[in-house]
Amino acid sequence: MKTNPGRFFEDYTLGEVIRHAVPRSISGGERALYHALYPARHALYSSNEFARASGLPDSPIDDMAAFHIVFGKSVPDISLNAVANLGYAEARWLRPVYPGDTLRSQSEVIGLKQNSSGKTGVVYVRTTGFNQHELPVMEFVRWVMVRKNSPDAPAPEAVVPETAAVVDPGDLVIPAGLDFSTYDFGRAGEPHRLGDYEIGERIDHVDGVTIEEAEHMMATRLWQNTSKTHFDATPRADGKRLIYGGHVISMARALSFNGLANAQMIAAINAGSHANPCFAGDTVRAWSEVLDRAEVDAPGVGALRLRLVATKGGAPFTLKGEDGKYLSNVLLDLDYWALMPV
Amino acid sequence: MKTNPGRFFEDYTLGEVIRHAVPRSISGGERALYHALYPARHALYSSNEFARASGLPDSPIDDMAAFHIVFGKSVPDISLNAVANLGYAEARWLRPVYPGDTLRSQSEVIGLKQNSSGKTGVVYVRTTGFNQHELPVMEFVRWVMVRKNSPDAPAPEAVVPETAAVVDPGDLVIPAGLDFSTYDFGRAGEPHRLGDYEIGERIDHVDGVTIEEAEHMMATRLWQNTSKTHFDATPRADGKRLIYGGHVISMARALSFNGLANAQMIAAINAGSHANPCFAGDTVRAWSEVLDRAEVDAPGVGALRLRLVATKGGAPFTLKGEDGKYLSNVLLDLDYWALMPV
Amino acid sequence: MKTNPGRFFEDYTLGEVIRHAVPRSISGGERALYHALYPARHALYSSNEFARASGLPDSPIDDMAAFHIVFGKSVPDISLNAVANLGYAEARWLRPVYPGDTLRSQSEVIGLKQNSSGKTGVVYVRTTGFNQHELPVMEFVRWVMVRKNSPDAPAPEAVVPETAAVVDPGDLVIPAGLDFSTYDFGRAGEPHRLGDYEIGERIDHVDGVTIEEAEHMMATRLWQNTSKTHFDATPRADGKRLIYGGHVISMARALSFNGLANAQMIAAINAGSHANPCFAGDTVRAWSEVLDRAEVDAPGVGALRLRLVATKGGAPFTLKGEDGKYLSNVLLDLDYWALMPV
C-alpha cells in the first residue's frame, strides 16, 4: 500500500527518533494569516519596530504558530491512529522563528505503556522543531493513546517518563537580546507590568469569537496538520468536524490580550488539557488565573505563570464540578509561562 | 480591572491626542489576503510592474487596507462603547503604504457634543496613520455616538468641528512620482479615461458577492479591529454578526472595477454613510455615479469624484425613498475622489 | 456601456491574440494562502531548503497556483459568457514561478466552430502565461462553448485544432537545474520512487475534505477569477455557488500527496474533464491510476503519467457507468504528467 496507514502502538520502540516529513518555509504570509484567523494583537508579533525596540532582529511569527507547525509535522507519525491526545508537558520555546526560516521536526519515543485492555497503549514523545540551521526552536512532550493493530503484539516493557509538573523558571530560554527595559506600554496597549499581577488574580478576557468551519480548517491546513477528523464532515451525523485543539489554544491566547497585553511571549507550556471538544458554532471565551511570578535573566523581563482557560460560554472562573471533572463548557485548561516587562 | 472597558463620553477631552496601541507591520501576506477576501483587480495594487510603470517604487497595499489598519487601531480607544458610527469626512491618503511598512495611528479629539438625553454624546476625532518613519499615510475625521458611564457627569462645552463637505481637489495629495502619461489601458483592463466619464453618469457594476461569516471575520481581524459585535454571535437570536462597515466599502470598491478599472487610487473620502447593517448571507452589489472631475498636478493624472453605493439587491440607481431616508436595500453611500488617467 | 459584457461567439477571430488584463505580482502571501486553502504538502513547494537541494533557486509557488493565475486572467475575455468549459489539452509548465514574479497572460484563438443550433459556438484558445521578463511560465489549450449575441451573425469557417491526446514525454519542459539525484525521501514523506509505480496501479488517497463556501470563494478570488457563478448565491434556489473547477483540481492534487508524495511537480496536463459540478457541503476525495512512465533528461528525474479522479463520495476506482457517462459522484477526471525521483 502506498498511502500512510499511520503507526500503531506496537510500531513504536523506546528511544527511537522519528524524523517527520515535509519541512516548511515561513513568510509574511503565515504571519498575515495568523492575524486573520485569530484576534492576535501582542505588539511583539505585530510590529517589526516594536520587536527591534525589544532587542530582537525583527518580529517573529507567533509562538503558537511555531508550535502548530512543529506539532503538525508530527501528526502523520504520532497521532494518525490516536484515540486521544492525553497531555502536554515541558514545552519550551528555544529560539524565535522569523519569516524566511524553514522548520522541520522530529520526535523521540521516551515512554511506552500498554493499557490493561491490551487494545491500546500510551506513547510518550519528546518532539523538537529545528530551523534551517539545525538549531532547535521549540520542544514539547506529549502523550497520546494509540490503537494496536494486532491485539497479539507483545506489550513492551512499561516506561513512563518523569516530566516536570512545572518548567522551572531557571530553565526558561530567553531569546538572545530580549530587553524590555525601554518597553513602550502605550504602544503595547496596556499599562500593567509583572508586579501588577497578584498570584491568584483572575481576569475575564470579556470578548467572544464564534468559530466557523472554514476558519478552523484553514488554520489547521496552514500547519499541514492532516488529521482527517478536522476536515471530513461525513463521519458525524451533524456534519461537524472536530476542531484541532491548537486552534482553541491560539484563539484563547489571542483573546487574553485584553488584560494580558504585555504577556508578550510564551516561554513554556507546563501542562495542557483539551477538556471538551470544540465545534463550529461554539463561541470561544477565555479567562486567566495568575499562578506564579519569577525573575529571569534579561533586562526588564520577568516571567508570569498563567492558567488560561477557554470556554464555550458559562460563568468565568469555574473549571471543574464537585466530581473533580471539567465542566462541560470548558474547552481548554492550559498552564504556561509568559515573558513580560517588570 | 485589567481589561479595557473602553472610553465613555465623559472620558474625552477636547484637544487631547490619543495614541493608539499595537503598531502593525505589513507584508505581501496582507496584500494576498486582501485579494482573497475582495475581488480586487485594480492593476496598480496587483502588479509591481504596473506600479513601477506608473512612477511608484512598487505596488502599494490597497488604499482601503491602509484605511482599515489605521481605523482598526482606533477602535479600542474611540468606538468600543459607540452606539453608532455616525459619519466620515476629510479622509485623505497622504502616502502609499508598502509591504515592509509598519503603521500606527493616533486620534485628536476635535469636537464633543452631549446629546439632549444626557445619556450619550457625539465625539469627533481626526485619526491619522503614520508609517515607521513617522510620516503620515492617511487621515480622516469620524464622529461616533458614545454612551456616558455616569449620567451625572457634566456636559462639556459643545464644540462641533467644521469639516469640508467635499475635499477640495487642490488638497488631494498625489503620491510622489505618480505618472499616468504612459498608462497601459490594455493591462489595466478598460479603455475609459477621465474624459470618458460624464458628470451625472451612472454605472451598474453588475456583479454580486454573497458574504460569508468566515470571510468578514477574517478581514476584520486582519485589521485588528476588536469590536465584539463582528465576532460574537451570541447577542443576536439569529446567530449573525454585524459586518464591519469597512468590509462593505472594500467589497463595493472591488466590485466597481467593472466599469471603473482605471479609477486606480482613492485619494480622498468626502463623506460616507453605512445606510443599513450588512449580515452574512447578503449579496452585495454596487453602482456608481460620477459627481465631478478635476485636474491634479501630476503627469497624465486626473481626479474623478464618485458616489459609490453598495446594496443588498434591489434596482440600481435608487438610493432614498420619498421620506428622504435610505431605502432598506442600501448598505453604503460613499462619496470619494479617485485618481485616474486623463 | 462602461462595464465588460464579455465576448460573444461572433466576437472572436481565428488567429487573434487577446492580451488579458491585470498582471499579478506574487509573494509569500499567495503561497501561505495556498497551504491554508488546500492540504498541500509536496516538499518542493513547502520548503526552500528542499527546493534548493533539488537544484532550484527557491521553493516555487504550487504549479496549480500558477495555472489558476494564468487561467483567471483569461476569464473576462474568454469565458464570461461561456455556457460550458468543455476541455483542456496540451497544458505544459514551462518555468517555475517564484515569489516576486509578476504574471500576465494572453490567449490565441486557434479554433472556432459554430454549433448546429446557431445559438452557440465553440472557441478554442491557447493561453500562455508570462513572467515579468516576458518569459513563458505555462501554456494550455482550452475550449469553451460561448453564446452568440446575435443569432444572425454569420458562422465563421469551422476550424477545429488538432491537439495531442497526450503530451509527448519528449515535450515536457524540465525546470533548469532540477536534480533529484540526492533526493531526501524521508523529508519528502514517502519512500516510493518512479519504479515503484506499476502501470495500471490504483491508489485510494483515503482522506476527504468537506468544502465550505468561504474557502472556494477566497481561493477563486485570489486568482482574480471573476466568473460570477462562483460568488453570487442569488441565481440558485438553494443559495449555493458553483465551485470553480480549478478548486477541485487543487484539492484533489493536494489529497493525492498521501500515496504520491514524490510526484513533486506537475509538468503537463494531457486532458481534463469536470464531470459533475461541485458545491459547498460536498466532501471531496481522490484516487489515482498510473497510466504511464517515461524518462526525462534531468538527473534522477522521471515522469509518471497519472489519472487523478476527484469524487464526492462513492467507491473509489469507479468512473463511468455502462452508458459510458461519468458516474454522478465523479467531479474530475484529470490526466497529467508528474516529475518524480527515479
Side-chain angles (χ1 to χ4, degrees):
Chain A
M1 190 164 75
K2 294 286 199 307
T3 51
N4 175 21
R7 285 169 172 242
F8 295 92
F9 180 66
E10 63 265 40
D11 298 328
Y12 294 93
T13 308
L14 191 71
E16 76 173 314
V17 173
I18 305 169
R19 292 164 67 91
H20 308 307
V22 189
R24 167 63 169 272
S25 298
I26 292 142
S27 78
E30 278 77 7
R31 191 164 83 167
L33 269 162
Y34 198 86
H35 281 86
L37 291 163
Y38 306 107
R41 288 187 285 155
H42 288 93
L44 198 69
Y45 302 90
S46 177
S47 165
N48 288 327
E49 310 303 314
F50 193 96
R52 286 175 201 143
S54 303
L56 301 184
D58 235 328
S59 180
I61 63 161
D62 196 279
D63 299 311
M64 284 309 303
F67 170 85
H68 295 320
I69 292 172
V70 172
F71 180 99
K73 310 240 144 293
S74 78
V75 167
D77 295 319
I78 306 299
S79 45
L80 212 60
N81 295 314
V83 181
N85 205 2
L86 297 172
Y88 304 102
E90 296 185 0
R92 292 192 306 158
W93 277 257
L94 306 171
R95 195 169 265 103
V97 176
Y98 297 98
D101 283 355
T102 298
L103 299 188
R104 70 168 188 90
S105 74
Q106 65 184 40
S107 297
E108 181 184 357
V109 179
I110 60 170
L112 289 170
K113 183 170 184 300
Q114 184 166 310
N115 287 324
S116 53
S117 72
K119 294 179 180 171
T120 56
V122 179
V123 180
Y124 299 80
V125 293
R126 184 180 303 274
T127 300
T128 309
F130 295 88
N131 67 17
Q132 69 276 20
H133 307 297
E134 289 296 311
L135 295 170
V137 298
M138 77 157 305
E139 63 178 15
F140 58 88
V141 171
R142 73 162 165 149
W143 51 106
V144 292
M145 193 189 301
V146 180
R147 278 184 289 130
K148 290 179 70 173
N149 196 28
S150 159
D152 303 331
E157 188 191 356
V159 174
V160 175
E162 282 190 30
T163 55
V166 179
V167 174
D168 188 280
D171 291 335
L172 298 178
V173 177
I174 313 301
L178 190 70
D179 182 345
F180 285 159
S181 56
T182 60
Y183 191 90
D184 186 333
F185 290 86
R187 296 219 170 168
E190 292 180 353
H192 324 301
R193 55 187 75 223
L194 187 70
D196 297 328
Y197 291 90
E198 298 300 325
I199 295 172
E201 181 177 352
R202 289 165 164 185
I203 302 161
D204 176 6
H205 300 300
V206 182
D207 303 311
V209 173
T210 309
I211 296 188
E212 297 290 315
E213 298 280 13
E215 292 170 328
H216 79 81
M217 290 199 294
M218 288 183 69
T220 308
R221 270 193 296 255
L222 185 60
W223 320 123
Q224 298 178 308
N225 180 331
T226 60
S227 182
K228 68 183 71 172
T229 184
H230 307 316
F231 302 106
D232 185 346
T234 57
R236 289 177 54 97
D238 63 5
K240 289 190 172 177
R241 284 135 267 184
L242 179 67
I243 291 176
Y244 164 49
H247 191 63
V248 177
I249 300 179
S250 279
M251 190 62 81
R253 161 72 177 158
L255 287 169
S256 78
F257 176 92
N258 197 351
L260 284 165
N262 297 318
Q264 289 286 352
M265 307 190 89
I266 302 181
I269 290 178
N270 300 306
S273 292
H274 297 296
N276 284 289
C278 181
F279 296 101
D282 288 348
T283 299
V284 176
R285 299 177 191 283
W287 58 270
S288 294
E289 179 179 359
V290 178
L291 299 178
D292 202 358
R293 298 192 302 208
E295 296 184 357
V296 302
D297 187 21
V301 182
L304 192 66
R305 186 178 154 213
L306 293 154
R307 160 175 279 159
L308 173 62
V309 176
T311 71
K312 48 179 177 178
F317 312 138
T318 60
L319 192 64
K320 294 182 179 178
E322 294 185 1
D323 58 2
K325 292 183 179 169
Y326 285 110
L327 298 173
S328 62
N329 65 309
V330 174
L331 299 172
L332 171 77
D333 181 12
L334 192 80
D335 177 338
Y336 74 106
W337 282 109
L339 302 181
M340 66 186 305
V342 296
Chain B
M1 191 165 70
K2 294 285 198 308
T3 51
N4 175 20
R7 285 169 172 242
F8 295 92
F9 180 65
E10 62 265 41
D11 299 329
Y12 295 93
T13 308
L14 192 71
E16 78 174 314
V17 174
I18 305 169
R19 292 163 68 93
H20 308 306
V22 189
R24 168 61 169 272
S25 298
I26 292 143
S27 78
E30 278 76 9
R31 191 164 85 168
L33 269 162
Y34 198 87
H35 281 86
L37 292 164
Y38 307 107
R41 287 188 286 154
H42 288 92
L44 198 68
Y45 301 90
S46 177
S47 165
N48 288 328
E49 310 302 314
F50 193 95
R52 287 175 200 142
S54 303
L56 300 184
D58 235 328
S59 180
I61 64 160
D62 197 279
D63 298 312
M64 284 309 304
F67 170 85
H68 295 320
I69 293 171
V70 172
F71 180 99
K73 310 238 143 296
S74 78
V75 166
D77 295 319
I78 306 300
S79 45
L80 212 60
N81 295 315
V83 182
N85 204 3
L86 297 171
Y88 304 103
E90 296 185 0
R92 292 192 306 157
W93 278 257
L94 306 172
R95 195 168 267 103
V97 176
Y98 297 97
D101 282 356
T102 298
L103 300 188
R104 69 168 188 91
S105 74
Q106 65 185 41
S107 297
E108 181 184 358
V109 179
I110 60 171
L112 289 169
K113 184 171 185 300
Q114 183 165 311
N115 287 324
S116 54
S117 73
K119 296 180 180 170
T120 57
V122 180
V123 180
Y124 299 79
V125 293
R126 185 181 303 273
T127 300
T128 309
F130 296 88
N131 66 18
Q132 69 276 21
H133 307 297
E134 289 296 311
L135 296 170
V137 298
M138 78 157 307
E139 63 179 14
F140 58 88
V141 170
R142 73 162 165 148
W143 51 104
V144 292
M145 193 189 301
V146 179
R147 279 185 288 131
K148 290 179 72 173
N149 195 29
S150 160
D152 301 332
E157 187 189 358
V159 174
V160 175
E162 282 191 30
T163 55
V166 179
V167 174
D168 188 279
D171 291 335
L172 298 177
V173 177
I174 313 301
L178 190 70
D179 181 345
F180 285 159
S181 57
T182 60
Y183 191 91
D184 186 334
F185 289 86
R187 296 219 170 168
E190 291 181 353
H192 324 301
R193 55 186 77 223
L194 187 70
D196 296 329
Y197 291 89
E198 298 299 326
I199 294 172
E201 181 177 352
R202 289 167 164 183
I203 302 161
D204 177 6
H205 300 300
V206 181
D207 302 312
V209 173
T210 309
I211 296 188
E212 298 290 316
E213 298 280 13
E215 292 170 328
H216 79 81
M217 290 199 293
M218 288 184 68
T220 307
R221 270 193 295 255
L222 185 59
W223 320 124
Q224 299 178 307
N225 180 331
T226 61
S227 181
K228 67 183 70 172
T229 184
H230 308 316
F231 301 106
D232 185 346
T234 57
R236 288 177 55 96
D238 63 5
K240 289 189 172 178
R241 284 135 268 184
L242 180 66
I243 291 176
Y244 164 47
H247 191 62
V248 176
I249 299 178
S250 278
M251 191 62 81
R253 160 72 176 159
L255 288 168
S256 78
F257 176 92
N258 197 351
L260 284 165
N262 298 317
Q264 291 284 355
M265 307 190 90
I266 303 181
I269 290 177
N270 301 305
S273 293
H274 297 296
N276 285 288
C278 181
F279 296 101
D282 289 348
T283 299
V284 175
R285 299 176 191 284
W287 58 269
S288 293
E289 179 180 359
V290 178
L291 299 178
D292 203 358
R293 298 192 304 208
E295 296 185 358
V296 300
D297 186 22
V301 182
L304 192 66
R305 184 178 155 214
L306 293 154
R307 160 174 279 160
L308 173 62
V309 177
T311 71
K312 48 179 177 177
F317 312 138
T318 60
L319 191 64
K320 294 183 179 178
E322 292 184 3
D323 58 2
K325 293 184 178 167
Y326 285 111
L327 297 173
S328 62
N329 65 307
V330 173
L331 298 172
L332 171 77
D333 180 12
L334 191 79
D335 177 338
Y336 73 105
W337 282 108
L339 301 181
M340 66 185 304
V342 294
Chain C
M1 191 165 72
K2 293 287 198 311
T3 52
N4 175 21
R7 284 169 172 243
F8 295 92
F9 181 66
E10 63 265 40
D11 298 328
Y12 294 94
T13 308
L14 192 70
E16 78 174 312
V17 173
I18 305 170
R19 292 162 67 93
H20 307 307
V22 190
R24 167 63 169 272
S25 298
I26 292 143
S27 78
E30 278 76 9
R31 192 164 84 167
L33 269 162
Y34 198 87
H35 281 86
L37 291 163
Y38 307 107
R41 288 187 284 154
H42 287 93
L44 199 68
Y45 302 91
S46 178
S47 165
N48 288 329
E49 311 302 314
F50 193 97
R52 286 173 201 144
S54 303
L56 301 184
D58 235 328
S59 180
I61 63 161
D62 196 279
D63 299 312
M64 284 309 302
F67 170 85
H68 295 319
I69 293 171
V70 172
F71 180 98
K73 311 240 142 294
S74 78
V75 166
D77 294 319
I78 306 300
S79 44
L80 212 60
N81 296 314
V83 181
N85 204 2
L86 297 171
Y88 304 103
E90 295 185 359
R92 292 192 306 159
W93 277 258
L94 306 171
R95 194 169 267 104
V97 176
Y98 297 98
D101 283 355
T102 299
L103 300 188
R104 69 169 188 91
S105 75
Q106 65 185 40
S107 298
E108 181 183 359
V109 179
I110 60 171
L112 289 169
K113 184 170 184 300
Q114 183 166 311
N115 287 325
S116 54
S117 72
K119 294 180 180 170
T120 57
V122 179
V123 180
Y124 299 79
V125 293
R126 184 180 303 274
T127 300
T128 309
F130 296 88
N131 66 17
Q132 69 277 20
H133 307 299
E134 289 295 310
L135 296 170
V137 299
M138 77 157 307
E139 62 178 15
F140 58 88
V141 171
R142 73 163 166 149
W143 50 106
V144 292
M145 192 188 301
V146 180
R147 279 185 288 130
K148 290 180 71 173
N149 196 27
S150 159
D152 302 331
E157 186 189 358
V159 174
V160 175
E162 283 191 28
T163 55
V166 179
V167 174
D168 188 280
D171 291 336
L172 298 178
V173 177
I174 313 301
L178 190 71
D179 182 345
F180 285 159
S181 56
T182 60
Y183 191 91
D184 186 335
F185 289 86
R187 296 219 170 168
E190 291 181 353
H192 325 301
R193 53 187 77 223
L194 187 70
D196 296 328
Y197 291 89
E198 298 299 324
I199 294 172
E201 182 176 352
R202 289 166 164 184
I203 302 161
D204 177 5
H205 299 300
V206 182
D207 303 312
V209 174
T210 308
I211 296 187
E212 298 291 315
E213 298 280 13
E215 292 170 328
H216 79 80
M217 290 199 293
M218 288 183 68
T220 307
R221 270 193 296 255
L222 185 59
W223 319 123
Q224 298 177 308
N225 180 331
T226 61
S227 182
K228 68 182 72 172
T229 185
H230 308 316
F231 301 106
D232 185 345
T234 57
R236 288 177 56 98
D238 62 5
K240 290 189 172 178
R241 283 134 268 184
L242 180 67
I243 291 177
Y244 164 49
H247 190 63
V248 176
I249 299 178
S250 278
M251 191 61 81
R253 161 71 176 160
L255 288 169
S256 79
F257 176 92
N258 197 350
L260 284 165
N262 298 316
Q264 290 284 354
M265 307 190 89
I266 302 181
I269 290 178
N270 301 305
S273 292
H274 297 295
N276 284 289
C278 181
F279 296 100
D282 289 347
T283 299
V284 176
R285 299 176 190 283
W287 57 269
S288 293
E289 180 180 0
V290 178
L291 298 178
D292 202 359
R293 299 192 303 209
E295 296 184 357
V296 302
D297 186 22
V301 183
L304 192 66
R305 187 180 153 212
L306 293 155
R307 160 175 280 160
L308 173 62
V309 176
T311 71
K312 48 179 176 177
F317 313 138
T318 60
L319 192 64
K320 293 183 180 178
E322 293 184 2
D323 58 1
K325 292 184 180 168
Y326 284 109
L327 297 173
S328 63
N329 66 308
V330 173
L331 298 172
L332 170 77
D333 181 12
L334 192 80
D335 178 338
Y336 73 105
W337 282 109
L339 302 181
M340 66 186 303
V342 295

